[in-house]
């Protein structure tokens, strides 16, 4: 081999070495920024009790959500039931609109008779389990009188629950063009409901927390509509990750929550699963791959990541004090300070082996209180900061994250004599301090 060829070979090796060296950190950075690489337009995963975000991808982008819209329909129905405005056994007879939609075999539906009478419970189960569209519209009419008024309630409730990137245009999640010209007033034929993945997680969290009975229904893998009648019909759940179905998830108990798919929304799913006291909520929007199973493939990645790598750890027990923030000053009280403690246990999903990378963070409402002070008065919040090397996604709602710090006992207001003596003592202490400073200055 001549010298020229040797130089060329040497230069090639140098270039190759530099390329490998440069690419390695990039690969590492990419892995750190997206630990599971979810193949969907948007996704998010949270731990439910703490609101801690375990994974996020384009979560703030508003996208079509298809039949996951029915989660808001379910929320408003359960709220109306809870408030006594609607009863499970009250009956409903379909109007022309609901009857017409129920006969559309191209949509997910249970067929309704025009002169039939259906209980709210039947319509709710058809909506939550089989994603029956006419049943969802019927619920809207039962709760609000019309789907148009119901849509107003949907958007108002979204604002109330803290959603920020949303637009609900009907009770079903169908594209308005599929409503046979009956789209709610104030919406156009080309619209459909759109919500960000993060806001879908917010809605799911509220739904499960405020009305946990939803899981009793959403976990039913298969049942029958109008069993024992001439209208009996099988109702399999579209959530294939439930026990006994084709995409069953075996590492944890999957018990919800809602699927969705339209031409524009693609394959969508809001899922939830629980294991060893840790419940996670996941959202995937427009998952790639098979229309019916792609959403479950991507959700499985998130479930695996959560249950293989995280577990719930109690950072502080109820009634604990935080080092460096054990008391707060009290003005005009019999005592000059009062202890502050956690109002309930503070637990977080902690990544395996990283327990030491979570640091307590205390935020006080103000530096001192004024007597009288009642036991249990809220004085601030206790949250935690992650100090490790992995990407930290924060909390679903930073304002609600953590637990409250409250006063440990009552502090009565001091009487006038005590306050007067303190003032006199403070006065003489100030004079004495001035004298000491003056004398010290002589030497």
């Amino acid at each position: 081999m001549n010298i020229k060829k040797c130089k060329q070979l040497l230069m090639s090796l140098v270039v190759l070495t530099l390329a490998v060296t440069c690419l390695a950190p990039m690969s590492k950075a990419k892995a750190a920024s997206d630990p599971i690489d979810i193949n969907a337009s948007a996704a998010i995963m949270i731990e439910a009790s703490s609101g801690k975000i375990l994974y996020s991808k384009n979560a703030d982008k508003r996208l079509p959500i298809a039949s996951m819209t029915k989660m808001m329909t379910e929320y408003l129905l359960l709220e109306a039931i809870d408030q006594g405005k609607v009863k499970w056994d009250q009956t409903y007879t379909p109007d022309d609109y609901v009857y017409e939609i129920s006969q559309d075999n191209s949509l997910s539906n249970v067929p309704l008779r025009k002169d039939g009478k259906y209980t709210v419970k039947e319509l709710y189960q058809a909506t939550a389990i089989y994603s029956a569209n006419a049943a969802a519209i019927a619920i809207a009419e039962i709760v609000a009188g019309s789907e148009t008024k119901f849509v107003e309630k949907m958007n108002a409730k979204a604002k109330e629950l803290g959603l920020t990137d949303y637009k609900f245009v009907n009770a079903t999640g169908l594209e308005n063009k599929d409503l046979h010209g009956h789209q709610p007033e104030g919406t156009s034929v080309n619209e459909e409901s759109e919500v960000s993945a993060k806001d879908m997680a917010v809605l799911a969290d509220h739904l499960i927390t405020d009305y946990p009975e939803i899981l009793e229904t959403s976990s039913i893998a298969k049942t029958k509509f109008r069993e024992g009648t001439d209208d009996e019909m099988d109702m399999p759940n579209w959530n294939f990750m439930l026990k006994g179905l084709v995409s069953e998830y075996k590492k944890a108990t999957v018990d919800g929550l809602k699927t969705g798919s339209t031409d524009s929304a693609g394959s969508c799913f809001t899922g939830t699963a629980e294991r060893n006291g840790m419940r996670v909520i996941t959202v995937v929007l427009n998952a790639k791959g098979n229309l019916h199973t792609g959403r479950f493939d991507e959700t499985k990645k998130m479930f695996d990541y959560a249950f293989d790598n995280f577990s719930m750890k109690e950072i502080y027990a109820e009634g604990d004090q935080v080092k460096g923030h054990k008391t707060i000053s009290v003005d005009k009280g019999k005592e000059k300070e009062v202890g502050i403690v956690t109002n309930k246990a503070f637990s977080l999903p902690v990544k395996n082996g990283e327990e030491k990378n979570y640091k307590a963070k205390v935020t006080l409402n103000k530096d001192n209180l004024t007597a009288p002070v009642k036991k249990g008065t809220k004085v601030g919040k206790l949250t935690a900061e992650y100090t490790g090397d992995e990407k930290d996604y924060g909390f679903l709602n930073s304002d609600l994250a953590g637990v409250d710090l409250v006063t440990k006992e009552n502090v009565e207001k001091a009487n006038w004599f005590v306050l007067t003596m303190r003032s006199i003592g403070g006065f003489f202490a100030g004079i004495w301090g001035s004298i000491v400073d003056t004398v010290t200055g002589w030497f």
Side-chain angles (χ1 to χ4, degrees):
M1 184 181 292
N2 60 39
I3 295 176
K4 185 176 180 181
K5 286 186 177 182
C6 285
K7 287 182 177 179
Q8 290 176 339
L9 179 60
L10 183 60
M11 286 300 296
S12 297
L13 288 172
V14 170
V15 170
L16 180 61
T17 302
L18 288 172
V20 171
T21 304
C22 291
L23 286 173
M26 289 175 65
S27 299
K28 183 178 180 181
K30 182 178 180 181
S33 64
D34 192 346
I36 37 181
D37 191 22
I38 296 301
N39 193 15
S41 294
I44 194 170
M45 173 169 60
I46 68 164
E47 191 283 314
S49 66
S50 64
K52 187 74 182 72
I53 302 173
L54 305 181
Y55 177 80
S56 180
K57 175 182 178 180
N58 295 335
D60 291 315
K61 185 176 181 180
R62 197 174 83 181
L63 294 167
I65 57 169
S67 280
M68 295 196 307
T69 298
K70 295 183 177 76
M71 289 165 55
M72 180 61 84
T73 300
E74 293 161 5
Y75 188 98
L76 289 171
L77 172 62
L78 292 170
E79 181 181 60
I81 294 284
D82 185 54
Q83 294 174 350
K85 297 176 180 178
V86 175
K87 297 185 182 301
W88 286 120
D89 60 354
Q90 76 181 64
T91 58
Y92 167 88
T93 298
D95 57 21
D96 291 343
Y97 171 34
V98 170
Y99 171 74
E100 184 179 338
I101 295 296
S102 78
Q103 303 304 306
D104 189 338
N105 294 327
S106 68
L107 307 174
S108 181
N109 267 315
V110 290
L112 304 176
R113 294 178 182 268
K114 200 167 187 180
D115 58 351
K117 290 185 180 297
Y118 303 91
T119 66
V120 170
K121 190 76 169 183
E122 288 177 313
L123 297 169
Y124 165 67
Q125 289 184 332
T127 299
I129 298 170
Y130 195 58
S131 200
N133 289 290
I137 299 169
I139 288 172
E141 294 182 352
I142 291 167
V143 172
S146 70
E147 189 176 14
T148 294
K149 291 181 179 178
F150 189 77
V151 168
E152 293 174 2
K153 282 182 170 288
M154 295 174 84
N155 286 290
K157 182 58 64 174
K159 183 177 181 180
E160 180 185 322
L161 296 179
L163 280 66
T164 57
D165 297 291
Y166 61 88
K167 178 183 69 173
F168 291 98
V169 300
N170 58 47
T172 60
L174 291 171
E175 298 176 66
N176 270 355
K177 66 182 181 181
D178 292 325
L179 294 178
H180 298 202
H182 299 290
Q183 68 269 10
E185 294 175 19
T187 69
S188 76
V189 69
N190 297 316
E191 289 185 288
E192 63 182 307
S193 295
E194 296 178 348
V195 182
S196 70
K198 184 176 181 180
D199 278 346
M200 286 307 302
V202 172
L203 175 57
D205 190 41
H206 275 289
L207 183 56
I208 291 170
T209 301
D210 299 345
Y211 304 106
E213 60 267 32
I214 182 65
L215 298 176
E216 297 174 10
T217 303
S218 64
S219 62
I220 297 173
K222 56 183 72 173
T223 188
K224 292 182 182 294
F225 180 70
R226 310 229 89 187
E227 186 173 10
T229 72
D230 292 340
D231 296 329
E232 180 177 301
M233 174 182 168
D234 287 335
M235 285 200 308
N237 201 312
W238 294 108
N239 177 3
F240 296 167
M241 299 191 84
L242 294 174
K243 185 176 181 180
L245 300 186
V246 294
S247 295
E248 176 185 348
Y249 187 73
K250 297 183 178 181
K251 290 184 180 180
T253 301
V254 176
D255 48 10
L257 196 55
K258 191 70 193 73
T259 59
S261 61
T262 61
D263 290 342
S264 57
S267 183
C268 304
F269 180 46
T270 297
T272 185
E274 190 273 340
R275 187 179 79 178
N276 296 333
M278 184 172 81
R279 175 174 291 280
V280 297
I281 295 171
T282 60
V283 179
V284 289
L285 300 181
N286 192 25
K288 309 306 178 183
N290 184 281
L291 178 64
H292 297 296
T293 60
R295 53 197 172 193
F296 306 126
D297 295 337
E298 301 311 309
T299 298
K300 181 180 183 300
K301 292 181 188 177
M302 288 193 280
F303 281 163
D304 284 347
Y305 179 66
F307 294 118
D308 290 347
N309 293 282
F310 292 86
S311 58
M312 294 302 293
K313 302 289 183 184
E314 187 175 86
I315 310 299
Y316 285 90
E318 181 179 350
D320 272 359
Q321 292 184 302
V322 181
K323 185 178 180 180
H325 297 277
K326 293 185 177 182
T327 62
I328 188 170
S329 299
V330 179
D331 292 338
K332 300 180 180 180
K334 283 188 175 181
E335 290 79 32
K336 294 184 178 181
E337 60 183 19
V338 62
I340 56 177
V341 297
T342 54
N343 71 325
K344 60 182 179 180
F346 179 36
S347 299
L348 279 178
V350 174
K351 200 165 189 180
N352 299 339
E354 295 207 6
E355 290 84 352
K356 295 181 180 180
N357 288 330
Y358 293 84
K359 179 182 177 183
K361 180 182 178 182
V362 171
T363 304
L364 296 178
N365 298 335
K366 48 187 174 181
D367 296 330
N368 62 301
L369 303 173
T370 301
V373 176
K374 290 185 178 180
K375 178 181 178 180
T377 298
K378 180 181 174 181
V379 298
K381 296 281 291 187
L382 168 65
T383 56
E385 288 183 324
Y386 174 70
T387 60
D389 297 327
E390 300 293 325
K391 182 176 177 61
D392 183 53
Y393 297 100
F395 290 86
L396 191 63
N397 186 331
S398 57
D399 292 336
L400 300 178
V403 297
D404 291 340
L405 291 173
V406 298
T407 51
K408 190 176 181 180
E409 56 262 324
N410 295 325
V411 179
E412 295 180 12
K413 186 174 181 178
N415 59 40
W416 68 269
F417 180 76
V418 171
L419 294 176
T420 300
M421 294 306 293
R422 282 183 186 170
S423 298
I424 293 172
F427 173 74
F428 283 110
I431 293 177
W432 178 251
S434 298
I435 293 171
V436 170
D437 290 341
T438 301
V439 173
T440 302
W442 293 345
F443 297 93

